Amino acid sequence: MSAEAANPGAPLRKRGRARIDLRRLGRVALLGPVSRDRLPDAIGHVADAHRAHHPDADLAILSKAYVLAESSHRGQMRKSGEPYITHPLAVTLILAELGAETTTLTASLLHDTVEDTEVTLDQVREEFGDEVCYLVDGVTKLEKVDYGAAAEPETFRKMLVATGNDVRVMSIKLADRLHNMRTLGVMRPEKQARIAKVTRDVLIPLAERLGVQALKTELEDLVFAILHPEEYERTQALISAWEGAQDPLTEIADRVRSTLRDAGINAAVLIRPRHFVSVHRVRIKRGEMRGTDFGRLLVLVGEDADCYAVLGELHTCFTPVISEFKDFIAAPKFNLYQSLHTAVVGSEGAVAEVLIRTHRMHKVAEAGVVALGNPYTQDGTAAAQQLEPADGERADPTRPGWLSRLLDWQESATDSDTFWATLRADLAQDREITVFRTDGGTLGLPAGASCVDAAYAQYGDEAHGCIGARVNGRLATLSTALNDGDTVQLLLAQDASSGPSPEWLDHARTPAARIAITRWLDAHPDGAQGPQKSRPDARKPQAQPADDAAGTRSRAADRAAGVVVDMPGAPVRLAGCCTPVPPDTIIGFTVRGGAVTVHREECPAVARMRGTGRAAVGARWDDPGDWSGTTDYKVTLVAESFGRPRLLADLTEAIATADAAIVSATVEPPSEQRVRHTYTLQLPDAAGLPGLMRAMRDVPGVYDVSRAQQPAATG
């Protein structure tokens, strides 16, 4: 359908002109075909739409860009049979209707010239300047001939990096994808599905994060129609039936208008129909649809204070549904969205959802970063500084927190497949929280993030040495999930060679944390902890004389960390559940693959395996006369203590003083003022274990230190 259709019912008007409502256009496009009128005067609609938002805009540069685009694309046709120039015109009109400034519209007109015509970036720069050139380059695809199957993910990577410097790049891409989705019907079904899935997984979440709801909701509906045609048709039938029936929201809207008029509040009260996907979600949630489920009331006022005045009147004159109240004005969403949400009960028990916002909030809610005009002032500072004060990163449209984190982790995802899969997973997390650091700073994290994620967000690779955390002043394990508004203090080991355990991956939600942990684990497959723990002579068996190699055992196969087993040639490893060290009495059991796992004799796993009839393998420490200095050993210790300030720091210091390295540490939530700490430690000298345990017991507040005996899988 043509993007230039007008909507006489749009809520915001200027100088009596009917504004184009993208949301309504999307509904019309999905409900049935419309006539395709030619664009009158070519650039005329774009100019009119632009002047509606920017009355003083200089249109000369737009005319110049149109002339270059039209002449460059002349002779090219779209798959629909239309002249290709209709595409950049439609994309530019979408952005103009959202209120984009002149530079964005200029780049939008030219966005396909470098990719599809003989026009070069140098020519664009020479005629239109560096800004326009940067935006055009940002949305230009990489060539498949150069990148092959990696062309699409690497194009998105390039585009996101460009967006990190100028969010207008992604605005153009979103409008470009919207027009392509509107005209996708001319393509083969399998190609429609592929494009729709990328739109669903990448473009729609990006539109949500940039706050461009007008584009996001129409993209959702178009994807819904392609990927779920049966559900879409059912939803379409529901909407068509509702549009032909009496709308109960009309009566409630009239009562709301009367109530606010009597209270002396100047407000516009509108009925805002839900889009297709929203109706579908409500139907899934509630089963049978009610008349008021097909739309919501939108109340628009002039000032922030009027929003709360409206809320007070509604909650006084109607029965409110308190569970539905949300204040996104005092606490804006991470994508700049602000509104009050509530629900009231009308006559005969009809429940109407109500959105309350100022006209300015409504503009930002619909168009997100596009509504901010040029988000960069002449001196390079963010226009966010001119906005009403808000929470740190959430108010900065030029570099939102989620985008900064994405740009950070993508540098580590050098493989295209890894980047593509991680990007989709990252964007699937559609809610953010803000936690506070003890130094007064904040961390923006996805909902469900843990202390592990907070550690890597704050410290980067230094978080490898994190041994615990305090959440809201209380000791917490690294697996603890964080909530919006929590205060978190991360505790790091003094030994810089410490590293994460594989279990951390179970609690990491952010790509930055997962990539950093995986990279460390890949670099330390045997669990070695940094430079001082990588002595070749400590971990690798030494070369033996030929006659020794021909003896009763092969030292390369049947000894690990100084252990000899009665199964020549079998690989040997020490059990992680009980972490034996000399002079523990030990016993081995075969596991899948023919390896022998060695346990302490008193390990619970030993009794369990013997109870099932598993045959034991004899094991003993090699060179019993000298267990010191021959190799490194891991040991897991449990410290029981009373809670007190700096306890964790003092325990960490005692461990470091004993020359032990912390491999991993967990601190269980306090119970009756008692705290349980579990440390897996790397010992350079097995003979030092008793002294280490004494040093930990000597820490004030610690009343017991013991060897861990954890249940473990028997293999």
Side-chain angles (χ1 to χ4, degrees):
M1 73 170 265
S2 61
E4 62 273 11
N7 168 31
L12 298 178
R13 298 169 183 253
K14 287 196 176 184
R15 302 179 181 176
R17 175 181 172 275
R19 293 274 307 284
I20 299 173
D21 186 343
L22 293 175
R23 187 186 303 275
R24 181 64 60 85
L25 287 180
R27 293 174 60 81
V28 174
L30 290 167
L31 287 169
V34 297
S35 61
R36 293 179 176 272
D37 299 328
R38 291 179 62 251
L39 287 173
D41 302 324
I43 196 70
H45 272 311
V46 172
D48 290 345
H50 189 37
R51 278 283 175 82
H53 292 276
H54 304 277
D56 300 325
D58 180 5
L59 302 181
I61 192 171
L62 288 181
S63 298
K64 181 180 177 182
Y66 170 73
V67 169
L68 177 59
E70 195 281 330
S71 61
S72 302
H73 289 297
R74 191 173 298 160
Q76 294 179 348
M77 307 296 287
R78 304 193 78 217
K79 290 186 182 297
S80 60
E82 298 170 315
Y84 194 88
I85 189 61
T86 60
H87 171 64
L89 274 172
V91 172
T92 306
L93 181 57
I94 290 169
L95 291 168
E97 284 295 338
L98 289 175
E101 39 69 57
T102 309
T103 301
T104 303
L105 301 186
T106 303
S108 176
L109 284 168
L110 301 169
H111 79 272
D112 276 340
T113 54
V114 174
E115 183 178 320
D116 295 334
T117 76
E118 299 300 318
V119 174
T120 66
L121 282 174
D122 287 339
Q123 184 179 352
V124 172
R125 181 182 293 107
E126 181 179 348
E127 296 195 30
F128 299 95
D130 290 338
E131 266 191 295
V132 171
C133 179
Y134 184 86
L135 298 179
V136 171
D137 184 34
V139 295
T140 299
K141 294 178 183 176
L142 298 173
E143 294 288 347
K144 275 196 173 182
V145 68
D146 297 326
Y147 287 84
E152 184 172 40
E154 290 303 325
T155 292
F156 271 99
R157 190 201 296 261
K158 168 179 175 278
M159 202 175 305
L160 287 165
V161 171
T163 300
N165 293 321
D166 196 323
V167 292
R168 293 174 293 182
V169 170
M170 191 54 64
S171 300
I172 296 172
K173 178 59 183 178
L174 291 171
D176 172 66
R177 179 55 60 95
L178 175 56
H179 184 250
N180 283 331
M181 288 293 297
R182 286 175 175 173
T183 56
L184 206 59
V186 298
M187 293 189 175
R188 299 187 309 275
E190 59 270 21
K191 189 166 185 179
Q192 290 185 40
R194 186 188 68 79
I195 294 174
K197 287 176 182 176
V198 173
T199 303
R200 176 196 64 193
D201 296 345
V202 180
L203 273 304
I204 288 174
L206 286 171
E208 168 72 15
R209 280 159 171 71
L210 292 173
V212 195
Q213 293 296 320
L215 303 189
K216 179 218 170 191
T217 52
E218 188 177 347
L219 284 171
E220 281 186 326
D221 286 350
L222 292 165
V223 166
F224 183 41
I226 292 171
L227 297 183
H228 305 282
E230 293 181 359
E231 288 296 321
Y232 163 71
E233 289 179 5
R234 180 176 178 180
T235 304
Q236 182 184 40
L238 283 172
I239 292 175
S240 297
W242 166 71
E243 289 179 338
Q246 183 176 359
D247 185 1
L249 285 175
T250 302
E251 178 190 350
I252 300 176
D254 290 340
R255 286 186 58 195
V256 170
R257 290 189 189 97
S258 177
T259 297
L260 298 181
R261 185 168 54 248
D262 292 344
I265 300 174
N266 184 19
V269 180
L270 309 168
I271 296 176
R272 185 180 181 84
R274 291 184 184 273
H275 64 108
F276 277 65
V277 171
S278 181
V279 170
H280 173 69
R281 288 170 180 159
V282 172
R283 184 181 65 80
I284 295 299
K285 178 181 177 181
R286 294 189 178 147
E288 185 175 349
M289 297 286 289
R290 304 171 302 194
T292 54
D293 289 338
F294 289 91
R296 294 183 286 189
L297 298 186
L298 173 63
V299 181
L300 298 176
V301 294
E303 304 293 337
D304 288 12
D306 295 337
C307 294
Y308 293 97
V310 169
L311 181 71
E313 291 297 326
L314 294 184
H315 282 195
T316 300
C317 300
F318 293 82
T319 301
V321 182
I322 300 300
S323 62
E324 296 293 326
F325 173 67
K326 297 181 181 67
D327 187 346
F328 294 118
I329 295 179
K333 290 187 178 182
F334 65 92
N335 60 3
L336 307 178
Y337 177 87
Q338 290 182 287
S339 276
L340 296 178
H341 290 201
T342 190
V344 296
V345 181
S347 60
E348 299 182 359
V351 177
E353 295 183 33
V354 186
L355 311 178
I356 308 168
R357 59 180 71 142
T358 66
H359 290 277
R360 176 191 167 280
M361 291 176 190
H362 181 62
K363 183 178 179 181
V364 174
E366 290 294 286
V369 295
V370 180
L372 301 177
N374 185 350
Y376 307 91
T377 60
Q378 292 299 317
D379 61 1
T381 57
Q385 296 174 359
Q386 304 166 13
L387 300 177
E388 299 172 6
D391 182 10
E393 65 172 287
R394 291 174 173 170
D396 183 2
T398 66
R399 190 65 176 268
W402 63 266
L403 181 55
S404 293
R405 294 194 301 276
L406 187 155
L407 295 175
D408 287 341
W409 68 251
Q410 69 85 24
E411 292 180 355
S412 302
T414 54
D415 175 72
S416 296
D417 291 338
T418 301
F419 165 76
W420 197 227
T422 307
L423 175 65
R424 292 183 180 212
D426 190 13
L427 293 176
Q429 303 178 83
D430 60 357
R431 192 169 68 83
E432 284 211 350
I433 62 173
T434 297
V435 298
F436 297 91
R437 301 180 345 208
T438 52
D439 61 3
T442 61
L443 297 172
L445 298 168
S450 67
C451 291
V452 170
D453 299 299
Y456 283 94
Q458 182 169 351
Y459 293 111
D461 284 349
E462 292 182 23
H464 293 330
C466 193
I467 58 173
R470 287 183 180 274
V471 177
N472 301 324
R474 298 172 66 90
L475 285 172
T477 62
L478 290 177
S479 62
T480 300
L482 298 169
N483 296 311
D484 198 34
D486 280 348
T487 297
V488 61
Q489 177 186 8
L490 288 315
L491 308 171
L492 302 183
Q494 294 181 354
D495 183 358
S497 66
S498 297
S501 70
E503 289 76 15
W504 287 21
L505 289 172
D506 296 335
H507 313 300
R509 297 292 178 267
T510 58
R514 296 189 64 82
I515 289 173
I517 295 167
T518 301
R519 188 171 57 222
W520 192 95
L521 293 173
D522 288 345
H524 302 81
D526 58 355
Q529 304 298 308
Q532 71 178 28
K533 299 298 177 185
S534 336
R535 299 192 299 266
D537 60 335
R539 290 209 173 268
K540 297 181 181 178
Q542 304 300 304
Q544 301 296 322
D547 57 346
D548 196 10
T552 59
R553 67 174 184 267
S554 169
R555 288 180 179 271
D558 67 357
R559 67 188 307 274
V563 173
V564 179
V565 298
D566 295 339
M567 187 177 286
V572 178
R573 64 171 182 249
L574 300 179
C577 54
C578 57
T579 56
V581 299
D584 295 335
T585 303
I586 54 178
I587 191 69
F589 290 88
T590 56
V591 295
R592 284 188 293 269
V596 176
T597 299
V598 176
H599 297 258
R600 292 162 55 204
E601 184 71 54
E602 62 269 30
C603 177
V606 171
R608 188 167 62 253
M609 286 187 283
R610 281 178 166 160
T612 59
R614 294 276 291 275
V617 177
R620 57 194 176 279
W621 299 106
D622 196 17
D623 301 323
D626 182 12
W627 289 317
S628 63
T630 59
T631 190
D632 292 347
Y633 295 93
K634 281 185 183 178
V635 62
T636 301
L637 301 178
V638 177
E640 307 279 353
S641 63
F642 296 105
R644 67 168 178 82
R646 289 194 53 80
L647 173 63
L648 195 57
D650 291 344
L651 268 170
T652 303
E653 183 177 358
I655 292 169
T657 302
D659 199 25
I662 298 175
V663 176
S664 64
T666 59
V667 182
E668 297 177 12
S671 175
E672 299 180 352
Q673 297 301 312
R674 290 180 171 84
V675 183
R676 179 184 176 95
H677 309 249
T678 303
Y679 298 92
T680 298
L681 308 173
Q682 196 91 30
L683 304 179
D685 185 342
L689 177 59
L692 168 64
M693 296 176 69
R694 282 194 301 271
M696 293 174 66
R697 289 192 188 102
D698 288 341
V699 172
V702 177
Y703 58 85
D704 188 29
V705 175
S706 60
R707 301 281 298 281
Q709 296 186 15
Q710 307 166 359
T714 60

